[in-house]
Amino acid sequence: AQALMNSSTERCFTKCVPSPSSSLSSYEQACLSKCLDRYMDAFNVVSRTYMSRIS
Amino acid sequence: AQALMNSSTERCFTKCVPSPSSSLSSYEQACLSKCLDRYMDAFNVVSRTYMSRIS
Amino acid sequence: AQALMNSSTERCFTKCVPSPSSSLSSYEQACLSKCLDRYMDAFNVVSRTYMSRIS
Amino acid sequence: QAQAKLQASIQRFTDLCWDKCMSSKPSTTLSRAEESCLTNCVERFLDSSLHMVKELENKRAQLSS
Amino acid sequence: QAQAKLQASIQRFTDLCWDKCMSSKPSTTLSRAEESCLTNCVERFLDSSLHMVKELENKRAQLSS
Amino acid sequence: QAQAKLQASIQRFTDLCWDKCMSSKPSTTLSRAEESCLTNCVERFLDSSLHMVKELENKRAQLSS
């Protein structure tokens, strides 16, 4: 789970906080929350597709 | 050889299959074959150059 | 220190030697020296900021 | 340990296909287009990988014959 | 070993923020703008990381209740 | 183990120089331009690496003198 958190945090930070300022805005926070949800969705789709191929 | 296959597959997939569809076209397959050949060429040139420097 | 050298060399080579020719020019060498200094500065700023957050 | 390797592969495919398939601003739900892009991306990556391994084996067979 | 992990994190943040903050041609000294960008980049990355861990914990709590 | 480290270095240089030197569509043979770009890329990378290590040692020598 550590690798998953590292990877999703880096990708979502890049997408949602392009110019870091002195604090996280509520807009940036909402973007991070949605981005995490989408990363988990993507992980699940990829996982399901891969498992059905190798089984 | 595992690292070499992982790395060449990622690079050739990116070059040859920019928009993955429901199957690999024969054009994409031919591109992958050529790309693998060129990756092996590049690996050999790099290897030769590096070995002659450190020997 | 190995990881630090690998990472700074890759980043500074990319910045300072975009088209490698038959030798390193003195301009490229000066660029590499400055780039290494800036990488060390960046490492120190990041280190200081991170340490003050987690302590 | 096989479990860890499996997890690492899924992680690697997720990162590769995330960059190819996901829109620049995260949407409220996963769109149909994003989902089918992710599925095709994993499937075609595995096809590409198999294709390249087969090529390599052909080459080895030719060299040793 | 904790020391090695700490070093690896600082390395990772340096690379991430280097790409975001440093001008394309290396300057003779670190500029004020580059320094404050690096500081904000690390601080906001850690904020983002905490925010996402908290979100994940909320989700787990909802699932198990 | 020295063998594994050597392989890893060659792999790393191949990836770095692949991105710099190879045309976007793979050609039928390695062109002269691609080959000389690859050679120069490895040679100059090693020069750059040596240059930076030397700089670092100079700095350490100054600090301890």
Side-chain angles (χ1 to χ4, degrees):
Chain A
Q2 186 57 43
L4 198 142
M5 274 319 289
N6 281 352
S7 185
S8 61
T9 308
E10 274 174 33
R11 278 170 171 72
C12 293
F13 180 69
T14 303
K15 253 194 214 294
C16 297
V17 193
S19 321
S21 65
S22 58
S23 69
L24 271 191
S25 71
S26 60
Y27 180 81
E28 288 166 336
Q29 292 189 20
C31 180
L32 289 167
S33 301
K34 273 198 284 186
C35 182
L36 176 62
D37 286 347
R38 293 297 76 68
Y39 193 88
M40 295 300 161
D41 286 345
F43 190 88
N44 289 333
V45 170
V46 167
S47 181
R48 220 182 309 132
T49 309
Y50 185 47
M51 297 311 256
S52 77
R53 266 289 282 259
I54 62 176
S55 64
Chain B
Q2 187 57 43
L4 197 143
M5 274 319 289
N6 281 353
S7 184
S8 62
T9 308
E10 273 175 33
R11 277 168 173 74
C12 293
F13 179 68
T14 303
K15 253 194 213 298
C16 296
V17 192
S19 322
S21 65
S22 58
S23 69
L24 271 191
S25 71
S26 59
Y27 179 81
E28 288 166 336
Q29 292 188 20
C31 179
L32 290 168
S33 302
K34 273 197 283 187
C35 182
L36 176 62
D37 285 347
R38 294 298 74 69
Y39 192 88
M40 294 302 160
D41 287 344
F43 189 88
N44 288 333
V45 170
V46 167
S47 181
R48 219 182 309 132
T49 309
Y50 184 47
M51 296 313 255
S52 77
R53 266 289 281 257
I54 62 175
S55 64
Chain C
Q2 187 57 43
L4 197 143
M5 274 318 290
N6 281 352
S7 186
S8 62
T9 308
E10 275 176 32
R11 277 170 173 74
C12 293
F13 180 69
T14 302
K15 252 194 216 293
C16 296
V17 193
S19 322
S21 65
S22 59
S23 69
L24 271 191
S25 71
S26 60
Y27 179 81
E28 288 165 337
Q29 292 188 22
C31 180
L32 289 167
S33 301
K34 272 197 284 186
C35 181
L36 176 62
D37 285 347
R38 293 299 75 66
Y39 193 88
M40 295 302 160
D41 286 345
F43 189 88
N44 289 333
V45 171
V46 166
S47 181
R48 219 182 309 132
T49 310
Y50 185 46
M51 298 310 258
S52 77
R53 267 289 280 258
I54 62 176
S55 64
Chain D
Q1 215 244 329
Q3 182 67 15
K5 252 184 122 172
L6 187 69
Q7 279 277 107
S9 292
I10 296 173
Q11 180 72 57
R12 194 173 140 242
F13 300 154
T14 303
D15 287 342
L16 184 85
C17 296
W18 172 269
D19 294 338
K20 239 185 185 27
C21 296
M22 304 301 280
S23 59
S24 60
K25 285 283 145 216
S27 44
T28 319
T29 54
L30 192 70
S31 74
R32 274 298 180 88
E34 287 169 335
E35 180 165 354
S36 96
C37 178
L38 289 168
T39 309
N40 283 334
C41 175
V42 179
E43 297 268 21
R44 262 10 95 215
F45 184 82
L46 295 171
D47 290 347
S48 299
S49 185
L50 283 178
H51 179 78
M52 287 170 73
V53 168
K54 223 178 291 174
E55 282 277 303
L56 218 53
E57 277 167 8
N58 286 346
K59 232 156 267 185
R60 270 187 203 152
Q62 279 172 8
L63 286 173
S64 64
S65 69
Chain E
Q1 215 245 327
Q3 182 67 14
K5 252 184 123 171
L6 187 70
Q7 280 277 107
S9 291
I10 296 173
Q11 180 71 57
R12 195 174 139 239
F13 299 154
T14 304
D15 288 342
L16 183 84
C17 296
W18 172 269
D19 295 338
K20 239 186 186 32
C21 297
M22 303 301 281
S23 59
S24 60
K25 286 285 146 212
S27 43
T28 318
T29 54
L30 191 71
S31 74
R32 275 297 180 88
E34 286 168 337
E35 179 165 352
S36 97
C37 178
L38 289 168
T39 309
N40 283 335
C41 175
V42 179
E43 297 270 22
R44 262 11 94 217
F45 184 82
L46 294 171
D47 289 347
S48 299
S49 185
L50 283 178
H51 179 78
M52 287 171 73
V53 168
K54 222 179 291 175
E55 282 278 303
L56 218 53
E57 277 168 8
N58 286 346
K59 231 157 268 184
R60 272 189 201 147
Q62 279 172 8
L63 285 173
S64 64
S65 68
Chain F
Q1 216 245 326
Q3 181 67 15
K5 251 184 125 171
L6 187 70
Q7 280 277 108
S9 292
I10 296 173
Q11 180 71 58
R12 194 173 140 241
F13 300 153
T14 303
D15 288 342
L16 183 84
C17 296
W18 172 269
D19 295 338
K20 237 184 186 33
C21 297
M22 304 301 281
S23 59
S24 60
K25 284 284 145 213
S27 43
T28 318
T29 54
L30 192 70
S31 74
R32 275 296 181 88
E34 287 168 336
E35 179 166 353
S36 97
C37 178
L38 289 168
T39 309
N40 283 335
C41 175
V42 179
E43 297 269 21
R44 262 10 96 217
F45 184 81
L46 295 171
D47 290 347
S48 299
S49 184
L50 283 178
H51 179 79
M52 288 170 72
V53 168
K54 222 178 292 174
E55 282 277 303
L56 218 53
E57 277 167 9
N58 286 347
K59 231 157 269 185
R60 271 188 201 149
Q62 280 173 8
L63 286 174
S64 64
S65 70

